[in-house]
Structure formats: C-alpha cells, structure tokens
Amino acid sequence: MLGLAAGSGGLFTHRPEFGRAPTGERLARIQASPHYKNGQFQCLEPVENIMDDDENRFVAMYKFLFGDKSEISPQQTMLSRKTDLKALDVNENIIVWMGHSTFYLQLGGRRILTDPVFSNYASPLFFINKAFPGSNVYTAADMPDIDVLVLSHDHWDHLDYPTIMSLKPKIREIVCPLGVGEYFEQWGFALKQLHEEDWFSEVKLADDFSVHVLPSQHFSGRFLQRNATEWASFAFVTRNHRVFFSGDGGYGAHFKDIGRRFGKFDLAIMENGQYNERWHRIHLMPKETVQAAEDIGAKTVISAHSGKFALARHAWNAPYRALVEESRGRSYEVITPQIGELAYIGANGHNFDHWWEKMK
C-alpha cells in the first residue's frame, strides 16, 4: 500500500506542470551567477527564513486551509469591465489589469503580458487557491498576439501551465529570470523565443524597446525544491515611457538602487496583497509598497497581487483600503481600475472609483 501511494505521488509530481530541474548549459549559467550560492539562488539581502516566528508550517497550513474564510474572499462576484483588447490601437500606451499579477500592456507599439493566470485555481490541486467568482473574465481566446510574455517567477499563482499552453500560439518572445526557461523549453517553446537572464541584465528587443531583468526579494519553487530558479522584477523602457513591474518580493535597498538607475517611472505595477507581518521580508506590507514606489520614482502606481486569490489571511479588500490610505500625501498618483478596465500610461488625472467599496 505504501509503495502504491509513493508511486502515485511520483506520477502526480511528474506531471508537466511541475516542471523539471535545469540541466546542461542552463544549469551552468545558473551556477555561474553571482546570485546563486550553496546550491540555490539567494536574495541580495539574505533571507534565511521566510517566517519571522517559529509557528509550525503544518499549523500555518491548517489555519490557511480550514480557518475562518468569511473575510478573505468577497461574498459577491468581482466587479469588472471587459475591454476588447483586439480592438485597441496597438500604438496607444495602455494597461489592463486582469486580476492578481496578470496585466496586459501596450507600450511603444508592443503588446506585453505579465504572469498570466486564467485558471480557476492557482494550485496543482483543485481545492486550493480558488479564484474569486468573477475574477476570470479573460481567456486566451480574448488575447491578441503577444509580443512579449514576462514571467517573474515559478510560483503557481504566476506561472500557470494551462494558461501558458493555451496562449502558446500567440506568444512571440518570453523574458524570464534564470532557470525559468526550463519550464518553457519542456513545454515545447523554441529556444530562440526565450530571453532568460540574470538580474541587472538588459534584454534589448528593438532599438527603441528594452526589458530589464532586475532583483526582487523573494523565493521560488513549485514543490519541495526551493530556489532552484530565480525570481525578478522588471523595467520596460521605450523612447518615451518607463514602466516598472515589481513581481513578488519584500522591501529592500534594491528599490532605491532601481530608482537611481532609471530615474522616474511613468507607471509602477506594485505588489500589494497576500502580505503578513510574519513574512514581510518576502512580501511587501502596504507601508512598504508605498515606500518602494517612492524609492523607484513612480509617477503613477497600480496595485498587483490581489483581487483574485486569497493566499494570506487579510481581508480581500484590505490591500486597496490600505494603499489608498497610505498613499495620501505621497509623490505619486494611485490608480484603481476594475478588472478589465483600461488605463492610459503616462496620462494624468485618472478618475477611477473605489470599486471595492461597492462590494462585500
């Protein structure tokens, strides 16, 4: 019986969505990285333990799975305004939030998609991390051709196998941190599509368009092995605009360094959700989100990493309330579009309402 269980478990974890360990030339590149030490990637500011106390992980998981969930998920369907992406003029510089960390951008005549998850679960198991009702208004069929897919790291709520495979015919190029390319190669993408780089690397896709792979303070892993692949934030740079995408990660000196390197950003897509004081070193608390936005020189800020999955114990609408409150008197403008609602990059005086106040 134990042998049967072990065999079944082995078959389960060998499903393609779990990925495989990097080997060969990719592994050699990983091992040569200054950010890879003692057999794993490490943050610029070492984070030895992601938790700030000694609570048993199994106890924490039990609370997450079976604790009170009356406030961590909305009681009604998420509000949304579905924009027809295929009808947009590609030369308009716009952003559309699709829930959690999935954003569709048009910048400098290119179509960019970040961390796409169109599945109903951010997990290999159907009963864990279910999407909020109404948060999945987009599918791969709604997407135009994607010039650049940007993937921040390999966690299930960012790298979603069914979504990637459904988008595969539409994806032209992929930018990701070291090691993450192994997933895409296993899933049948051509090596020539992959731009898999270490932190502080510029991926120059055209004379007037670059994607910079930058640090974040986080971790990686889809099952038992941790930090075999890298995690990252990104800067999208054209002749006229700069956009920052934080990915996941805690607060650190890297934000001020990014601000010094790039000057100002027209828009910052900032992690703001799934936080907890116990793991603030690898996820931004709201006060840290606004400080990081000022550190990088953001002119406009949009919230990411919330509105779709409940991965932490805070109320589902707490990130929006906190971001608005903490941003009072700051040097940037906060924009709060609903899922699917279009916003213009580089524009001033946006007038989005506080849609979460209309929901329970």
Side-chain angles (χ1 to χ4, degrees), residues 149-170:
L149 173 71
V150 174
L151 210 295
S152 65
H153 63 297
D154 69 3
H155 284 159
W156 294 91
D157 57 319
H158 296 262
L159 177 58
D160 181 60
Y161 174 74
T163 300
I164 295 296
M165 296 308 291
S166 64
L167 287 169
K168 187 177 178 182
K170 300 184 176 186

Side-chain angles (χ1 to χ4, degrees), residues 5-296:
S8 299
L11 289 173
F12 177 75
T13 59
H14 278 82
R15 289 158 47 191
E17 54 262 52
F18 280 88
R20 64 191 182 197
T23 59
E25 183 178 339
R26 177 173 285 111
L27 180 58
R29 288 190 66 204
I30 288 171
Q31 292 172 336
S33 168
H35 312 116
Y36 188 83
K37 302 173 184 177
N38 301 320
Q40 61 179 346
F41 283 102
Q42 298 187 13
C43 298
L44 294 178
E45 300 174 24
V47 179
E48 295 181 4
N49 299 304
I50 66 172
M51 302 293 188
D52 268 342
D53 60 37
D54 296 325
E55 182 177 53
N56 185 283
R57 288 186 184 180
F58 293 103
V59 172
M61 179 61 70
Y62 182 87
K63 289 181 179 179
F64 173 73
L65 292 175
F66 304 110
D68 180 17
K69 297 183 180 181
S70 59
E71 293 188 356
I72 67 173
S73 299
Q75 298 175 28
Q76 63 188 81
T77 301
M78 289 288 291
L79 295 176
S80 65
R81 296 182 184 180
K82 189 173 181 179
T83 298
D84 184 353
L85 304 178
K86 294 180 180 178
L88 295 174
D89 180 352
V90 71
N91 294 305
E92 289 188 313
N93 297 306
I94 60 94
I95 184 168
V96 177
W97 176 50
M98 298 180 176
H100 206 61
S101 297
T102 304
F103 290 83
Y104 171 82
L105 300 92
Q106 291 181 178
L107 195 64
R110 281 87 177 179
R111 297 181 176 96
I112 304 166
L113 187 63
T114 69
D115 291 1
V117 180
F118 300 148
S119 295
N120 287 322
Y121 294 87
S123 164
L125 301 172
F126 73 89
F127 55 88
I128 296 178
N129 295 344
K130 184 178 181 180
F132 298 161
S135 63
N136 260 339
V137 299
Y138 284 97
T139 69
D142 298 313
M143 297 293 110
D145 287 343
I146 302 301
D147 295 300
V148 188
L149 173 71
V150 174
L151 210 295
S152 65
H153 63 297
D154 69 3
H155 284 159
W156 294 91
D157 57 319
H158 296 262
L159 177 58
D160 181 60
Y161 174 74
T163 300
I164 295 296
M165 296 308 291
S166 64
L167 287 169
K168 187 177 178 182
K170 300 184 176 186
I171 297 171
R172 292 175 179 168
E173 297 185 87
I174 299 166
V175 177
C176 62
L178 285 177
V180 176
E182 188 72 38
Y183 296 97
F184 291 101
E185 186 176 355
Q186 180 185 359
W187 298 343
F189 286 83
L191 283 174
K192 64 181 181 181
Q193 293 178 271
L194 298 177
H195 303 276
E196 183 182 354
E197 299 296 337
D198 202 352
W199 297 338
F200 306 110
S201 298
E202 178 183 6
V203 180
K204 197 169 183 63
L205 298 174
D207 290 340
D208 59 348
F209 180 53
S210 291
V211 180
H212 294 258
V213 183
L214 300 169
S216 72
Q217 187 169 294
H218 200 51
F219 68 107
S220 67
R222 287 170 81 80
F223 192 48
L224 297 178
Q225 187 176 15
R226 180 173 290 176
N227 300 342
T229 63
E230 201 172 38
W231 47 94
S233 61
F234 301 87
F236 310 129
V237 178
T238 70
R239 286 198 178 103
N240 299 315
H241 293 96
R242 293 184 178 125
V243 173
F244 178 72
F245 173 46
S246 73
D248 282 7
Y251 184 76
H254 60 285
F255 287 112
K256 287 185 178 179
D257 180 59
I258 289 169
R260 287 190 292 268
R261 288 171 182 263
F262 291 91
K264 295 286 185 179
F265 285 95
D266 299 281
L267 174 68
I269 305 167
M270 298 298 299
E271 183 197 39
N272 175 48
Q274 319 321 313
Y275 50 76
N276 187 302
E277 284 287 358
R278 294 178 59 237
W279 58 69
H280 73 95
R281 285 177 293 174
I282 50 92
H283 281 297
L284 291 169
M285 300 294 292
K287 288 183 179 180
E288 295 169 324
T289 296
V290 299
Q291 185 59 58
E294 288 203 321
D295 288 351
I296 65 168

